[in-house]
Amino acid sequence: MRADYITTNIAIAEGAMAAGLMFYAGYPITPASDLFEYLASVLPSRNGVVAQFEDEIASINAVIGASWAGVKAMTATSGPGFSLMVEGLGLAIITEAPLVVVDIMRAGPSTGVPTKATQSDVYQVRFSSHGIYSIPVLVPWSAQEGFDLAVKAFNIAERLRTPVVLLSDAVLAHAWEKVSLRSSEEIQVVNRKKPKNLEEGMFPFKPENDLVPPMPCFGEGFGVKVESLSHDERGWYAPDNETYKKLVWRLVKKIENNMSLIWDSERYFTNDAEYAIVAYGSVARPAYAAVKEFRREGYKFGLYRLKTLWPFNDRDVANSLRKIKKVFVVENNEGKMYREIARSVKSAEVISVPLINLEVPPPEEIEEAVKEWL
Amino acid sequence: MALTRVIAEHPLSKYLVNERLPHAWCPGCGLGITLGAILRAVDRKVREGKIDIKKLVLVSGIGCSARASFYVRFDSAHTIHGRAIPFATGAKLANPSLEVIVFGGDGDIAGIGGNHLIHAARRNMDLLVFMVSNLVYAMTGGQVAPTTPTGLFTTTTPYGNPERPINVVKLVASQNPNYVARASATHPALIEQYTYRALGMEGFRFIEVISMCPEVFGRHIGYNDPVSLYKAIKSKTRVKARPSLDEADYDWNHGWVLGEFIIKNNPGYLRTTGRWRA
C-alpha cells in the first residue's frame, strides 16, 4: 500500500489496474480525457492495451470484443459519449460481457457545460438502453472511493458477468486528494467463472444457481456463440416467448438477487437524527458539511449517503431512514433520485431539494434550501 | 459399381453447425456460395497447418449476411448493426493469437459502419473484412443501400435511386491497407482464392463480394427469378489479374471489375504497437 496525492480520475485508473484491467478503449471527451491519457502512459508497461477509437460507439464495442477475448476491459466517457455508448451497452448486457464503463458526469443536455458537473446522468446510466435489464451503478464521493469503487466495479462485473457503470462527475474528476493505493495482492480480485469442461463451454449462457453462467471466451476451443438476439443457453437465436422471458428475467434477477454484492450506503450522525439529508457523489460532500452545521445549530440532522444508485435497494433505504421525521433529498439536478427515495420511504415526509449548481452547491446553499422546510 | 459416390456428410461439415442447417438464406442468394468459398479457403489453411481453427473468430453485425455467425462451428459473434469491426478489433487487440474475420453486408459495413471501416483500414488493423454487396438492405425488405447503383428501383427509391453509389474498394484503398480485392458470388473460385491469400496476412485486408439478392433486389428491377439475376450479375462482372483502382468504378450498365487491387506487406497495427504474433 502506498499513499499518493492524485485526482479521482487517476484513482479510478489505478483501481481499475489493481483489479486487473488489461484493455482500455476510449475517445477524448471532457472531463474524462485525462483518465485515458494516464492509462495510455502506464497500462502498456503492464502489458495492457490502450487504444483510441474513432468514436465512443467503437470504443465500447472494442471493449466488449476484448471482454469476450478473455481480458478485463474498460472505457470512460461523459454524458454525450455515454449517449453514443448506449447501443453497445445493450450488447454487453445481452451477451453478459463483464466490463466497466466510467461515466464522468458533466452538465447536459447535449453539449451543455463540458467542464462543469451536475448529476444529470443518474437515470441515463440505468435506463437508456432499450429492453428489459438491470445494471449496477456505483457512485463515489472522493478520490479514495474512486479507487475503491473501481475495484468493486470490476469485481461485480466479473462475478455477475455484467457491465457495471462507475458514475463520477466533473468536480470529483479533477479534485486532488490523498489516496491509499493498494496493489492487486492487497485487494480482493474476482475473476469470471470459467467452464469446467468442454460440455459446459458449449453453453455460454447456461446459468448456475447464482443465475450467472461460466464464460467461455474466444480462442479456447469452445466454438462460442456470442449472440445479440434473444438466445437459448447455447447462444442460439430463439424468438419464442419462453426463451425470451427466461433470458430477460435472468438478466434482471442476477443483478437484483445479488443486491448484497452490489449495494452499499453510509450513515453519518443518524443514531439520534430527526432529520436526514440523502445525497450521493460530489453533492454528499457539502451535504455532510451542512449536516454538521445544522447539528451545531441544534437541529438533529443526519446524512444518508448512497454509494450505489442501481439496483436501488428499497429495503436498505427504508430501514436506514425509518426513525427520521423529514428526509431531504439533495441533488445537483431537477430531483431525480428523489423519486426512488420517496417511493421507498413510507415512514417520513420526503422532500426534494434540487439545487442545480455548476460549481456544486456549497453547504450554505443546502442549509438555506433545507431550512425553508423546517 | 454405382456411378455416384454417396458422401455421408457435407465436405465442410466440420466447420458448420450442422444442426442449424438449412440456413435462412433464400434460394438464389449469394451468401451461402460466399460462405462456402470462404470455408474452403479456411479448410485449406487448416489442413496446411497455417490456421488453428480454435483461434479463428468470425464477427458479424446485423443483416442477412450477419447470420453467417449462426452456421460456423468455430467461435463467432453476432453483434450489432455496423459494429462488427470495432468488436473484432477489440478481440484481436486483447488476444493477438486470434485470426479474426468480419463478415458483413454493404449496408452494415459501408453504411452504418462506414466510419469504423475507414479507421480500421487507416490503422492497417490486423483483420480480414468481407463485405458482401447485394446492393440493397435485404433483411428489412429491399430499401436503397449506399452501394445501390444510380437509377435502380428499391422500396425507398420508388422513382429510381437518385444517388451515386459508394465505391468501397476505392475508399478502403485510399487508407493504404495491405489487401483490397473484389470478387463476386458468381465466381466462387475467386472468393476462395482471394480468401486463401488474405487469411493469415498481416494488417487490414478487405474483400468485397458482389452478390445476388433475387428476393428483394432482383424482383424490384425486373429480374423475376434467381437465375436471370444471377446471369445479369455474371454478365456485368469482368475479372482482371491486377486491376488499377480507377477500374474499381462501377455502375449498373458497366458492371464491376473483379480482381486484387492492392497487395502489400506493410506492418500491421499489432506489429507497429509491438504486439504482433506470427
Side-chain angles (χ1 to χ4, degrees), chain A residues 23 47-55 57-58 61-62 64-66 68-69 71 87-88 91 202 217-229 235-237, chain B residues 17 19-20 54-55 57 62 67 69-81 83 86-87 89-91 93-95 98 112 115-117 119-120 123 269 275:
Chain A
F23 183 91
N47 292 322
V49 175
V50 178
Q52 183 169 323
F53 279 77
E54 53 273 17
D55 53 32
I57 301 171
N61 280 284
I64 301 166
W68 272 104
V71 309
E87 179 196 52
L91 178 65
M202 303 292 278
C217 289
F218 295 148
E220 295 173 347
F222 294 114
V224 59
K225 294 279 155 276
V226 180
E227 183 54 80
S228 66
L229 288 160
W236 291 20
Y237 176 41
Chain B
V17 182
E19 308 90 294
R20 294 184 90 171
K54 288 182 179 175
K55 300 293 180 186
V57 185
I62 292 297
R67 296 297 175 102
S69 68
F70 287 20
Y71 309 122
V72 295
R73 187 169 283 286
F74 43 87
D75 291 339
S76 69
H78 186 222
T79 67
I80 33 184
H81 201 31
R83 316 304 173 208
F87 181 102
T89 302
L93 292 181
N95 182 355
L98 301 174
I112 191 167
N115 198 33
H116 307 309
L117 173 70
H119 289 278
R123 297 181 183 109
Y269 184 92
R275 292 174 58 80

Side-chain angles (χ1 to χ4, degrees), chain B residues 11 54 59 62 98-99 101 105 114-115 124 128 138 140 154-155 159 164 175 178 180 183 189 198 214 228 252:
Chain B
K54 288 182 179 175
V59 181
I62 292 297
L98 301 174
E99 171 69 357
I101 292 174
N115 198 33
N124 210 12
L128 170 53
T140 47
T154 73
T155 59
Y159 307 107
R164 297 181 297 178
Q175 300 307 308
N178 272 359
V180 179
S228 61
W252 187 245

Side-chain angles (χ1 to χ4, degrees), chain A residues 45-111:
Chain A
S45 64
R46 298 177 174 218
N47 292 322
V49 175
V50 178
Q52 183 169 323
F53 279 77
E54 53 273 17
D55 53 32
E56 287 88 347
I57 301 171
S59 301
I60 191 162
N61 280 284
V63 165
I64 301 166
S67 180
W68 272 104
V71 309
K72 294 187 184 181
M74 178 173 97
T75 184
T77 186
S78 188
F82 197 92
S83 295
L84 293 183
M85 289 186 182
V86 168
E87 179 196 52
L89 197 66
L91 178 65
I93 289 163
I94 200 166
T95 65
E96 301 178 66
L99 56 90
V100 173
V101 180
V102 184
D103 177 18
I104 302 167
M105 290 183 285
R106 63 192 230 185
S110 192
T111 313

Side-chain angles (χ1 to χ4, degrees), chain B:
Chain B
M1 197 177 107
L3 292 175
T4 52
R5 191 162 58 98
V6 176
I7 301 171
E9 55 180 350
H10 191 279
L12 294 171
S13 61
K14 66 176 164 172
Y15 302 106
L16 294 166
V17 182
N18 298 290
E19 308 90 294
R20 294 184 90 171
L21 300 175
H23 56 63
W25 298 318
C26 308
C29 173
L31 282 163
I33 297 168
T34 305
L35 182 61
I38 292 169
L39 292 180
R40 282 191 291 279
V42 166
D43 183 48
R44 279 165 64 190
K45 288 280 185 187
V46 169
R47 283 190 282 118
E48 290 167 10
K50 289 178 183 155
I51 279 188
D52 177 358
I53 198 70
K54 288 182 179 175
K55 300 293 180 186
L56 190 63
V57 185
L58 183 143
V59 181
S60 69
I62 292 297
C64 294
S65 57
R67 296 297 175 102
S69 68
F70 287 20
Y71 309 122
V72 295
R73 187 169 283 286
F74 43 87
D75 291 339
S76 69
H78 186 222
T79 67
I80 33 184
H81 201 31
R83 316 304 173 208
I85 289 175
F87 181 102
T89 302
K92 178 68 179 175
L93 292 181
N95 182 355
S97 72
L98 301 174
E99 171 69 357
V100 186
I101 292 174
V102 171
F103 188 85
D106 36 358
D108 197 24
I109 299 287
I112 191 167
N115 198 33
H116 307 309
L117 173 70
I118 294 168
H119 289 278
R122 171 178 68 80
R123 297 181 183 109
N124 210 12
M125 186 57 66
D126 302 85
L127 297 175
L128 170 53
V129 176
F130 291 92
M131 183 181 81
V132 185
S133 297
N134 59 4
L135 316 175
V136 76
Y137 282 84
M139 184 163 268
T140 47
Q143 297 81 17
V144 71
T147 47
T148 307
T150 309
L152 296 191
F153 299 104
T154 73
T155 59
T156 48
T157 55
Y159 307 107
N161 178 20
E163 299 180 9
R164 297 181 297 178
I166 188 169
N167 186 331
V168 187
V169 163
K170 267 189 169 174
L171 176 73
V172 172
S174 73
Q175 300 307 308
N176 200 25
N178 272 359
Y179 187 76
V180 179
R182 183 191 277 151
S184 168
T186 55
H187 298 63
L190 274 189
I191 305 172
E192 183 183 333
Q193 180 190 326
Y194 298 166
T195 307
Y196 180 79
R197 188 196 295 274
L199 273 171
M201 261 177 78
E202 196 174 330
F204 191 77
R205 294 142 280 157
F206 178 79
I207 301 175
E208 178 178 23
V209 180
I210 308 300
S211 183
M212 304 78 68
C213 173
E215 195 60 33
V216 298
F217 175 74
R219 286 199 296 132
H220 291 159
I221 56 169
Y223 298 97
N224 291 325
D225 64 276
V227 175
S228 61
L229 179 67
Y230 176 89
K231 284 181 173 168
I233 300 265
K234 189 162 191 176
S235 73
K236 291 173 189 293
T237 51
R238 283 165 293 136
V239 184
K240 292 192 78 170
R242 288 297 303 276
S244 75
L245 281 171
D246 284 339
E247 293 175 282
D249 288 334
Y250 67 94
D251 60 43
W252 187 245
N253 291 330
H254 297 94
W256 295 264
V257 167
L258 313 179
E260 295 172 293
F261 294 90
I262 289 180
I263 307 173
K264 287 179 181 164
N265 191 25
N266 288 326
Y269 184 92
L270 285 170
R271 190 185 295 279
T272 51
T273 53
R275 292 174 58 80
W276 170 260
R277 281 197 229 161

Side-chain angles (χ1 to χ4, degrees), chain A residues 291-302:
Chain A
V291 163
K292 289 217 289 195
E293 181 55 30
F294 273 128
R295 292 191 84 90
R296 259 195 295 276
E297 292 173 16
Y299 298 103
K300 288 187 172 173
F301 259 82

